[in-house]
């Protein structure tokens, strides 16, 4: 991404993309929403865990959390002389990186890394990494997302989408997006869950807006015919 310099802009563009494409399904749980982004859990079987308000809100989630690449920026870890709040106190982290690093802003706004998720799931996932978990801890009704010990296991039909997003972010930006211990996991997930028509169409639509090709997904779509 060299064209969209703010996360808020990319979220607006993603909303328009999904509405115009007529694709009204949340990423993890398969709940539907309308063109006003009002959620309907009746067919997905999703049940709120604790936060009903957020469970009924669509949020745009980073598949690769901002922290996963943000910590490679000096502004995130050490701050910057210009990152001073109204009380004269220095701050760091995402807020400082967003303010002072153009490269961080471009990564944060990359549309390929954004998916519509149920707000409660997005919040519970936080910045945790993906993994295979023991057992079947179901806290969201019929939605097959499991979160335990700061790890997240998504539904099997999202294994490939997630793996290819990590691979894209790594190929596009580097910065240690994929940890060494997850290389084999994502390679396995990529094989287990091949691209489908929507993943391919979505990538083509984002390319038209953002201007750069997702070479990982494009190659997989070409091989899949």
């Amino acid at each position: 991404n060299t064209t969209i310099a703010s996360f808020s802009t990319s979220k607006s563009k993603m909303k328009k993309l999904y509405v115009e494409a007529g694709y009204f399904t949340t990423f993890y749980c398969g709940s539907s929403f309308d063109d006003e982004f009002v959620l309907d859990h009746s067919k997905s079987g999703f049940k709120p865990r604790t936060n009903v308000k957020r469970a009924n809100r669509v949020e745009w989630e980073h598949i690769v959390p901002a922290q996963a690449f943000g910590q490679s920026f000096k502004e995130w870890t050490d701050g910057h002389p210009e990152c001073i709040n109204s009380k004269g106190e220095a701050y760091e982290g995402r807020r400082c990186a967003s303010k002072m690093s153009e490269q961080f802003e471009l990564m944060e706004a990359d549309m390929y890394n954004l998916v519509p998720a149920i707000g409660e799931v997005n919040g519970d996932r936080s910045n945790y990494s993906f993994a295979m978990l023991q057992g079947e801890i179901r806290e969201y009704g019929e939605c097959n997302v499991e979160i335990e010990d700061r790890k997240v296991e998504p539904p099997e039909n999202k294994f490939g989408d997630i793996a290819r997003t990590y691979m894209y972010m790594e190929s596009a930006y580097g910065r240690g997006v994929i940890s060494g211990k997850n290389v084999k996991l994502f390679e396995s997930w990529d094989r287990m869950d091949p691209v489908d028509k929507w993943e391919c169409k979505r990538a083509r639509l984002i390319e038209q807006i953002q201007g750069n090709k997702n070479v990982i997904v494009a190659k997989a779509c070409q091989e899949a015919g």
Side-chain angles (χ1 to χ4, degrees):
N1 171 34
T2 60
T3 58
I4 304 172
S6 81
F7 181 34
S8 59
T9 298
S10 61
K11 287 190 289 185
S12 297
K13 290 181 180 295
M14 289 299 283
K15 283 185 175 181
K16 184 178 180 182
L17 183 156
Y18 273 70
V19 170
E20 290 183 349
Y23 193 84
F24 301 106
T25 306
T26 61
F27 184 72
Y28 298 109
C29 300
S31 289
S32 60
F33 53 88
D34 60 19
D35 57 6
E36 297 294 325
F37 290 84
V38 175
L39 276 166
D40 179 2
H41 302 305
S42 60
K43 294 181 180 179
S44 69
F46 171 88
K47 301 293 182 185
R49 187 178 64 84
T50 58
N51 193 330
V52 175
K53 182 177 181 181
R54 205 165 173 186
N56 286 291
R57 186 168 74 203
V58 176
E59 296 179 359
W60 292 92
E61 176 174 359
H62 290 92
I63 290 181
V64 180
Q67 186 183 38
F69 52 82
Q71 293 184 80
S72 68
F73 288 87
K74 187 172 174 42
E75 295 85 354
W76 183 295
T77 56
D78 301 332
H80 186 279
E82 293 186 32
C83 290
I84 305 293
N85 66 20
S86 59
K87 297 180 180 179
E89 300 166 335
Y91 60 87
E92 52 196 38
R94 185 171 181 173
R95 181 181 170 195
C96 185
S98 296
K99 179 181 180 180
M100 301 309 305
S101 172
E102 181 182 0
Q103 181 65 17
F104 176 82
E105 281 194 309
L106 291 168
M107 290 185 73
E108 184 184 39
D110 195 308
M111 294 172 66
Y112 288 114
N113 191 34
L114 297 179
V115 291
I118 296 168
E120 185 180 35
V121 177
N122 180 31
D124 289 350
R125 187 263 167 125
S126 183
N127 56 18
Y128 303 160
S129 59
F130 292 103
M132 299 298 291
L133 299 175
Q134 295 295 320
E136 290 291 320
I137 310 149
R138 297 291 176 88
E139 295 189 288
Y140 306 100
E142 295 178 28
C143 177
N144 187 17
V145 171
E146 295 146 33
I147 303 174
E148 185 179 35
D149 296 331
R150 301 178 65 86
K151 300 290 183 183
V152 183
E153 182 178 330
E156 291 181 8
N157 67 343
K158 297 304 176 187
F159 282 180
D161 306 66
I162 290 166
R164 287 181 287 275
T165 301
Y166 268 83
M167 291 172 178
Y168 158 75
M169 292 292 284
E170 181 68 44
S171 69
Y173 304 101
R175 293 189 170 272
V177 167
I178 301 179
S179 64
K181 63 183 179 181
N182 275 342
V183 171
K184 289 186 177 180
L185 174 70
F186 290 145
E187 288 175 349
S188 174
W189 282 11
D190 178 37
R191 293 190 298 270
M192 290 170 66
D193 174 36
V195 290
D196 58 20
K197 288 184 178 180
W198 167 244
E199 187 178 354
C200 296
K201 180 178 180 179
R202 176 181 177 276
R204 291 194 298 271
L205 293 173
I206 291 174
E207 182 181 353
Q208 292 172 12
I209 299 166
Q210 191 167 281
N212 69 301
K213 184 186 292 291
N214 183 329
V215 294
I216 303 297
V217 172
K219 181 180 178 182
C221 295
Q222 184 177 27
E223 291 174 350

